[in-house]
């Protein structure tokens, strides 16, 4: 069928998607085709999250963020970078794309309050949204009362709100913005507005997220303005028993008696008579940040022309590759100038982009002359590394850390690896540079940069390649950076050093130990090929991750999400004696089975036990060990900016293994050998760590990669089904989910892997959490039948064979509770 200028295959048009009204897929497609002229302005340039009901609203719902591989190649899309993964989102800019989504049975389309720029950069929000969500015992009438009060406040702020009945239970209020405020600012304003409404109407309005307090009140959901949140798009259908629509309304009809949610037929009829009542919001949004094409082309041409004359301005090439409105990098418009004090600086930045590399920059002639180092700075005088000269950077770039949008030049994450000053020994333009670096993190070292093609060559094309060489004669490293030896000396001597020798200068820790968070590894994709020269391979220990803080011989243990574990493992106070200095150490608490292997199941006997008498009994029955593999701070020195190798060297220097404390060595040999050794030893797998990587607190990094023998997944337990046979009268299986935004997506049930003790314990844990309704958004009828629902507050872990095509766990087996994790920590592996 020809839709617009595209040919689409429309299938199963007679399939009933709304059984209660008999509304077919063909009727849904017709609705979206007819509503498109009014709907597209509200979703244009916005990433679209879809909720699909392939078998009708009585069946399973599928959440889709990524554009599937089967999508037509003409569907427009952009990438959004998340902390642990990237998503490719479609955008609905034309009729064929909207109809294609309807063909996929995507009944609900959800979008955020911001738009993509022409090349995929995320603009600031161009509209504010309040979601008035009625709790049990209240309805549309109460939402109207709150909406009228909110309108007065918004108008007092200079905003003109427009109401939309959501197609579900409540009302949305939209107000156009000028696009000059950040997402955080808009969200904060919306939050204050919600709190003001709650203060004015305390018996009716709730501004907090507490679900327990929503009965009899209207929740003013201000969080819809968060950059990661989405709202049902205006004119989108809803996946409810009848085909209701998120429909714009007039303020007059909002206050009339008999107000109800509108169906698709009613909306189409209204549009013919009244047009789009929300058009002022769409018109205001579409005008934000959209210069006319002539201005844009002129600006781009001006930047390109400047780049063709780099002799006039050494930053012209830098500017030509960047748009200041789309990248967080500094983009100064003035020509470079010399710094007043004349002390030259350097910086080395770790750059996780399409290809991970390091950027080496030397201040010279008012700019940072720059090289990309694919393999980093050499540490062996016998091995030179490639250095690819890039465009000159502004001096301000020396302090830059942040994430460059994916579609922009150099898209990826930039962090400081080392910086400081340098002494210039030789600078022959285009041929040779010799410097001695005085690094704040990595101390003093002498390096030479040599052009690969000889004297007088330019910087373009093949002539951009240089070599970076670590000279044989090296200065004293300890004069400008932290070394393991210096930390080791500090462990036995006052901070002044041994015999008056000063200890290396380094930044003092600025982070309170309570606020410390662990660095997380990314799951390997396929079979990674990692060179042992650049990567270290450690065994993956099957236990509970913990950060240990040592202060004056006392040890405090905290879990990955900050929970205090100190009372659970009193024997680990031994670390206070084994560590020669105060510090913060990263490791795994493990319980060993009778073959000396870490056993997560066995560790369950210790998890969550805090009463002294119970702890002492559990300690005798199940002793634990603490396996250390990293150090964040030692003797007042902040070590997270050191490389992995330097931190491991420091860890071995300041901790004396013994008793229940161990510092396992990394494996020798290749990754393949380490994986095989791990399998033979019955361990969980291997963690590969980039030797040059810093410790990235509180985030998942691709500088650490985990390779598992078996797939495991953390899950939120939100229900259970009664057992039969031997388990009759108890729990037969647990119903599992994974959070997706505010929703809990059902991923299956687990009924194996339980010990007798587990089965006894499950009822004790889950009984106090009982609730009457399902916490899931999409649990199948068969699994929901005779289910007992519980509040989704407890996290467990399962081992499983694979993910099924519909997003379920195949052959899951219970491993145990994760008391060290909260539901919001759970993500799909």
């Amino acid at each position: 069928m020809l839709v617009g200028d595209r040919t689409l295959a429309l299938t199963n048009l007679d399939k009933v998607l709304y059984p209660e009204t008999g509304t077919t897929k063909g009727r849904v497609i017709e609705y979206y085709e007819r509503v498109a002229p009014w709907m597209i302005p509200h979703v244009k340039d916005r990433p679209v999250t879809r909720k699909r009901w392939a078998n009708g609203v009585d069946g399973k719902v599928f959440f889709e963020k990524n554009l599937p591989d089967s999508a037509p190649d003409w569907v427009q899309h952009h990438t959004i970078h998340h902390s642990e993964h990237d998503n490719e989102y479609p955008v609905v800019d034309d009729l064929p794309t909207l109809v294609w989504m309807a063909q996929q049975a995507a009944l609900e389309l959800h979008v955020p309050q911001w738009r993509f720029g022409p090349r995929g950069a995320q603009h600031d929000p161009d509209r504010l949204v309040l979601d008035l969500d009625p709790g049990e015992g209240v309805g549309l009438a109460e939402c109207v009362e709150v909406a009228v009060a909110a309108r007065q406040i918004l108008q007092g702020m200079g905003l003109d709100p427009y109401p939309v009945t959501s197609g579900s239970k409540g009302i949305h209020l939209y107000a156009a913005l000028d696009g000059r405020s950040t997402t955080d600012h808009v969200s904060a304003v919306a939050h204050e507005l919600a709190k003001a409404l709650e203060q004015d109407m305390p018996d009716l309005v709730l501004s907090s997220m507490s679900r327990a307090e929503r009965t009899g009140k209207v929740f003013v959901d201000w969080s819809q303005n968060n950059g990661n949140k989405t709202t049902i798009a205006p004119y989108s259908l809803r996946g409810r028993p009848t085909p209701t629509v998120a429909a714009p309304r007039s303020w007059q009809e909002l206050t009339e008696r008999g107000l109800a949610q509108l169906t698709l037929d009613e909306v189409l009829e209204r549009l013919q008579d009244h047009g789009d009542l929300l058009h002022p919001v769409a018109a205001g949004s579409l005008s934000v940040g959209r210069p006319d094409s002539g201005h844009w082309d002129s600006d781009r041409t001006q930047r390109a022309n400047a780049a063709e004359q780099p002799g006039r301005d050494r930053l012209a090439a830098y500017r030509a590759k960047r748009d200041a409105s789309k990248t967080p990098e500094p983009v100064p418009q003035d020509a470079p100038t010399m710094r007043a004090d004349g002390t030259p600086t350097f910086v080395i930045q770790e750059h996780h982009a399409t290809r991970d590399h390091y950027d080496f920059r030397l201040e010279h002639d008012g700019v940072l002359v720059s090289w990309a180092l694919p393999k980093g700075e050499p540490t062996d005088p016998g091995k030179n590394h490639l250095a690819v000269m890039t465009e000159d950077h502004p001096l301000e770039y020396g302090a830059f850390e942040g994430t460059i949008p994916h579609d922009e030049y150099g898209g990826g994450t930039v962090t400081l690896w080392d910086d400081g000053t340098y002494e210039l020994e030789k600078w022959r333009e285009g041929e040779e540079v010799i410097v001695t670096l005085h690094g704040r993190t990595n101390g003093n070292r002498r390096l030479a940069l040599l052009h690969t093609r000889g004297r007088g060559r330019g910087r373009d094309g093949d002539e951009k390649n240089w070599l970076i060489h670590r000279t044989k004669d090296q200065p004293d490293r300890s004069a400008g950076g932290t070394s393991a030896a210096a930390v080791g000396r500090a462990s036995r001597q006052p901070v002044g050093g041994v015999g008056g020798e000063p200890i290396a200068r380094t930044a003092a820790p600025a982070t309170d130990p309570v606020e410390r968070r662990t660095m997380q590894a990314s799951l390997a994709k396929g079979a990674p090929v990692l060179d042992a020269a650049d990567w270290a391979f450690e065994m993956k220990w099957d236990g509970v991750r913990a950060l240990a803080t040592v202060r004056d011989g006392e040890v405090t243990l905290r879990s990955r999400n900050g929970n205090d574990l100190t009372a659970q493992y009193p024997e680990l106070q031994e670390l206070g004696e084994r560590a020669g200095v105060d510090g913060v150490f990263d490791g795994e608490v493990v319980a060993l089975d009778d073959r000396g292997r870490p056993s997560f199941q066995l560790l369950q006997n210790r998890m969550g036990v805090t009463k002294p008498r119970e702890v002492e009994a559990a300690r005798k029955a199940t002793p634990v060990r603490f396996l250390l593999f990293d150090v964040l701070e030692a003797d007042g020195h902040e070590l997270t900016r050191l490389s992995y190798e330097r931190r491991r060297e420091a860890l071995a220097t300041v901790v004396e293994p013994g008793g229940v404390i161990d510092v396992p060595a990394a494996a020798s040999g290749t990754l393949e050998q380490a994986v095989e050794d791990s399998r033979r030893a019955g361990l969980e797998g291997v963690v590969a760590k980039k030797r040059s990587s810093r410790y990235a607190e509180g985030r998942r990094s691709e500088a650490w990669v985990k390779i598992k023998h078996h797939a495991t997944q953390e899950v939120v337990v939100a229900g259970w089904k009664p057992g039969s046979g031997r388990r009759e009268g108890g729990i037969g299986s647990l119903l599992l989910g994974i959070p997706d935004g505010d929703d809990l997506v059902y991923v299956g049930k687990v009924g194996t892997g339980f010990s007798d003790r587990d089965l006894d314990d499950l009822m004790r844990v889950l009984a106090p959490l009982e609730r009457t309704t399902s916490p899931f958004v999409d649990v199948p009828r068969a699994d929901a039948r005779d289910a007992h629902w519980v509040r989704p507050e407890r996290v467990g872990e399962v081992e499983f064979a694979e993910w099924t095509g519909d997003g379920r766990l195949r052959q899951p087996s219970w491993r145990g509770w994760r008391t060290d994790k909260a539901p919001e920590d759970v993500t799909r592996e």
Side-chain angles (χ1 to χ4, degrees):
M1 176 179 176
L2 188 65
V3 179
D5 58 350
R6 305 289 186 184
T7 300
L8 287 172
L10 303 181
T11 60
N12 300 319
L13 300 182
D14 293 329
K15 177 181 283 188
V16 175
L17 297 183
Y18 291 88
E20 190 169 311
T21 58
T23 306
T24 64
K25 181 178 173 182
R27 180 61 175 141
V28 167
I29 292 175
E30 179 191 7
Y31 166 77
Y32 275 117
E33 186 175 19
R34 290 178 59 185
V35 84
W38 297 280
M39 182 178 186
I40 288 177
H42 296 288
V43 297
K44 182 177 175 60
D45 297 330
R46 302 183 195 273
V48 180
T49 299
R50 290 89 64 214
K51 294 175 73 172
R52 298 173 50 226
W53 282 266
N55 296 309
V57 295
D58 284 351
K60 174 180 169 54
V61 61
F62 297 87
F63 288 79
E64 278 195 353
K65 295 182 178 180
N66 269 314
L67 184 67
D69 294 336
S70 59
D73 57 9
W74 41 261
V75 174
Q76 297 297 311
H77 53 90
H78 290 298
T79 302
I80 295 180
H81 302 282
H82 300 284
S83 60
E84 299 175 6
H85 60 277
D86 294 342
N87 280 338
E88 198 75 19
Y89 286 83
V91 292
V92 180
D93 285 2
D94 56 23
L95 172 63
T97 301
L98 185 59
V99 172
W100 170 76
M101 288 185 178
Q103 160 63 22
Q104 304 298 308
L107 302 181
E108 290 190 10
L109 308 182
H110 295 248
V111 293
Q113 318 320 328
W114 55 268
R115 297 178 185 269
F116 286 118
R119 290 186 289 169
Q122 297 180 29
H123 284 195
D124 286 332
D126 49 37
R127 65 191 189 192
L128 178 147
V129 173
L130 294 179
D131 178 7
L132 310 183
D133 184 13
E136 188 176 345
V138 294
L140 273 179
E142 289 78 10
C143 289
V144 170
E145 186 177 349
V146 177
V148 171
R151 182 190 189 190
Q152 294 177 341
I153 296 177
L154 287 164
Q155 288 178 331
M157 297 165 57
L159 298 176
D160 197 7
Y162 292 81
V164 173
T165 46
S166 69
S168 178
K169 298 182 297 180
I171 293 174
H172 295 161
L173 295 181
Y174 283 83
L177 302 176
D178 61 11
R180 298 179 184 178
S181 299
T182 65
T183 293
D184 289 344
H185 179 67
V186 174
S187 187
V189 169
H191 192 186
E192 290 301 317
L193 194 155
K195 288 193 288 187
L197 285 168
E198 183 178 39
Q199 188 173 7
D200 291 344
M201 312 168 76
D203 295 329
L204 183 59
V205 173
L206 178 70
S207 67
S208 72
M209 298 290 179
S210 173
R211 293 187 179 275
E213 299 177 35
R214 294 190 187 180
T215 300
K217 293 190 175 184
V218 175
F219 171 46
V220 180
D221 188 356
W222 50 271
S223 71
Q224 301 286 313
N225 300 283
N226 184 304
N228 297 320
K229 291 290 189 71
T230 59
T231 306
I232 189 75
Y235 297 108
S236 172
L237 287 164
R238 300 303 295 252
R240 298 181 66 79
T242 59
T244 50
V245 174
R249 313 297 286 266
S250 71
W251 281 104
Q252 179 180 343
E253 66 177 314
L254 208 68
T255 55
E256 293 174 351
R257 294 182 61 182
L259 180 71
Q261 303 289 344
L262 298 179
T263 65
L264 81 172
D265 293 314
E266 293 170 318
V267 167
L268 290 174
E269 182 178 346
R270 287 164 53 89
L271 282 170
Q272 297 301 324
D273 295 336
H274 306 294
D276 178 20
L277 298 176
L278 196 61
H279 176 70
V281 173
S285 298
L286 288 171
S287 68
V288 170
R290 302 296 196 277
D292 61 82
S293 59
H295 172 80
W296 168 250
D297 289 340
S298 172
D299 179 59
R300 181 165 53 191
T301 302
Q302 185 178 27
R303 288 190 289 139
N305 289 341
E308 293 174 1
Q309 303 176 56
R312 298 174 59 185
D313 181 353
R314 293 191 63 165
L315 294 179
Y318 174 89
R319 293 193 199 95
K321 295 179 178 181
R322 292 164 178 84
D323 185 338
S325 68
K326 296 181 174 64
T327 178
E329 301 164 282
V331 187
Q333 296 305 308
D334 298 328
T337 57
M338 297 292 291
R339 290 193 311 115
D341 64 7
T343 304
T345 61
F346 84 93
V347 64
I348 300 176
Q349 288 155 315
E350 191 170 354
H351 195 162
H352 292 282
T354 305
R355 293 182 178 179
D356 292 351
H357 62 279
Y358 290 81
D359 292 312
F360 179 56
R361 313 190 195 282
L362 296 174
E363 179 184 344
H364 188 69
D365 287 346
V367 297
L368 291 174
V369 180
S370 300
W371 293 262
L373 311 181
K375 291 192 174 183
E377 179 187 326
T379 57
D380 182 354
K383 293 182 179 179
N384 296 332
H385 286 181
L386 176 66
V388 181
M389 181 168 267
T390 62
E391 72 277 9
D392 295 331
H393 281 52
L395 295 182
E396 296 91 331
Y397 211 98
F400 173 66
E401 288 187 292
T403 299
I404 305 169
H406 176 69
D407 291 334
E408 294 300 301
Y409 174 76
T413 302
V414 177
T415 57
L416 289 177
W417 188 75
D418 196 9
D419 63 343
T421 61
Y422 75 89
E423 295 175 30
L424 177 61
E425 184 175 329
K426 182 183 296 186
W427 193 296
R428 292 196 295 163
E429 195 68 33
E431 297 183 41
E432 181 182 17
V433 175
I434 301 177
V435 294
T436 297
L437 306 182
H438 300 294
R440 272 194 278 255
T441 298
N442 288 302
N444 298 343
R445 62 267 198 205
R446 185 170 180 264
L447 300 171
L449 289 135
L450 308 169
H451 200 285
T452 60
R453 301 288 296 276
R455 178 185 297 271
R457 302 294 186 178
R459 295 185 183 181
D460 299 325
D462 293 336
E463 307 303 333
K464 62 186 179 182
N465 290 344
W466 293 54
L467 293 177
I468 184 168
H469 168 72
R470 182 183 182 84
T471 62
K472 289 184 178 180
D473 52 319
Q474 287 290 309
D476 177 14
R477 286 185 60 84
S478 67
T482 303
S483 68
V487 176
R489 287 195 301 271
S491 71
R492 303 307 191 270
Q493 297 291 332
V495 176
V498 179
E501 182 181 355
I503 293 175
R505 288 188 300 108
T506 185
T511 306
D512 189 310
V514 173
E515 299 175 357
R516 293 282 197 185
R517 292 295 182 268
T518 59
M519 178 176 177
Q520 300 298 310
S522 299
L523 188 65
K525 300 173 183 177
V529 179
L530 304 176
D531 188 343
D534 299 320
W535 294 79
F537 309 123
E538 298 181 357
M539 296 297 108
K540 191 174 190 308
W541 309 111
D542 200 7
V544 170
R545 187 82 173 274
L547 286 180
T549 300
V550 177
R551 291 288 186 267
D552 297 324
E554 295 291 322
V555 178
T556 303
L557 290 171
R558 292 193 177 275
S559 69
R560 192 177 82 176
N561 59 354
N563 293 332
D564 195 331
L565 306 177
T566 309
Q568 295 181 40
Y569 308 107
E571 61 265 56
L572 300 189
Q573 289 296 319
E574 185 175 350
L575 177 60
E577 303 170 12
R578 297 281 173 184
V581 296
D582 285 354
V584 179
F585 303 89
D586 191 358
E588 196 90 0
V589 181
V590 300
L592 304 182
D593 62 17
D594 54 7
R595 288 191 284 178
R597 301 177 307 183
S599 168
F600 184 74
Q601 190 107 25
L602 198 58
L603 189 62
Q604 295 285 302
N605 299 331
R606 297 293 301 272
M607 295 172 67
V609 179
T610 56
K611 293 181 179 178
R613 182 175 298 178
E614 295 176 355
V615 169
E616 189 58 32
R619 176 179 176 179
K620 291 178 180 178
T622 310
V624 299
R625 295 175 61 81
F626 195 24
L627 308 183
L628 301 178
F629 48 72
D630 219 317
V631 55
L632 289 68
E633 170 196 328
D635 197 49
H637 299 279
E638 179 65 39
L639 304 183
T640 54
R641 289 183 63 183
L642 298 183
S643 67
Y644 162 83
E645 288 192 319
R646 298 285 298 285
R647 297 196 311 274
R648 286 288 299 197
E649 184 183 353
L651 178 63
T653 302
V654 301
V655 175
E656 183 178 353
V660 299
I661 307 299
D662 198 5
V663 183
S668 58
T670 65
L671 173 61
E672 293 72 21
Q673 290 170 330
V675 170
E676 183 56 34
D677 289 346
S678 171
R679 182 179 287 109
R680 280 201 302 266
L683 301 179
E684 191 181 6
V686 169
V687 180
K689 299 182 178 180
K690 201 169 186 179
R691 296 183 183 277
S692 59
S693 63
R694 298 195 315 170
Y695 192 98
E697 283 194 76
R699 62 184 177 89
R700 198 172 296 278
S701 171
E702 293 184 358
W704 287 10
V705 178
K706 53 187 175 184
I707 300 99
K708 293 183 176 182
H709 301 310
H710 305 287
T712 60
Q713 174 66 53
E714 293 164 5
V715 289
V716 178
V717 176
W720 57 275
K721 290 173 71 69
S724 58
R726 185 170 63 86
R727 296 188 187 176
E728 190 169 358
I731 292 177
S733 60
L734 301 177
L735 304 179
L736 313 174
I738 294 178
D740 182 9
D742 291 335
D743 296 324
L744 186 65
V745 178
Y746 182 71
V747 295
K749 58 183 179 179
V750 58
T752 62
F754 300 109
S755 66
D756 290 339
R757 175 179 173 174
D758 289 335
L759 293 171
D760 293 338
D761 187 53
L762 289 175
M763 189 62 77
R764 178 187 62 80
V765 171
L766 297 180
L769 303 179
E770 187 173 354
R771 57 181 277 174
T772 57
T773 58
S774 168
F776 299 107
V777 292
D778 59 348
V779 62
R781 287 184 178 181
D783 289 353
R785 191 177 299 117
D786 71 10
H788 295 255
W789 307 114
V790 299
R791 296 195 301 275
E793 298 176 3
R794 293 299 299 267
V795 175
E797 186 171 293
V798 296
E799 185 176 295
F800 66 106
E802 62 179 350
W803 288 101
T804 65
D806 59 352
R808 300 285 189 262
L809 298 163
R810 188 188 301 280
Q811 299 174 359
S813 178
W814 181 252
R815 281 169 52 83
W817 292 112
R818 295 304 308 240
T819 56
D820 58 324
K821 305 290 178 67
E824 56 267 25
D825 297 325
V826 175
T827 58
R828 175 168 164 164
E829 290 281 7

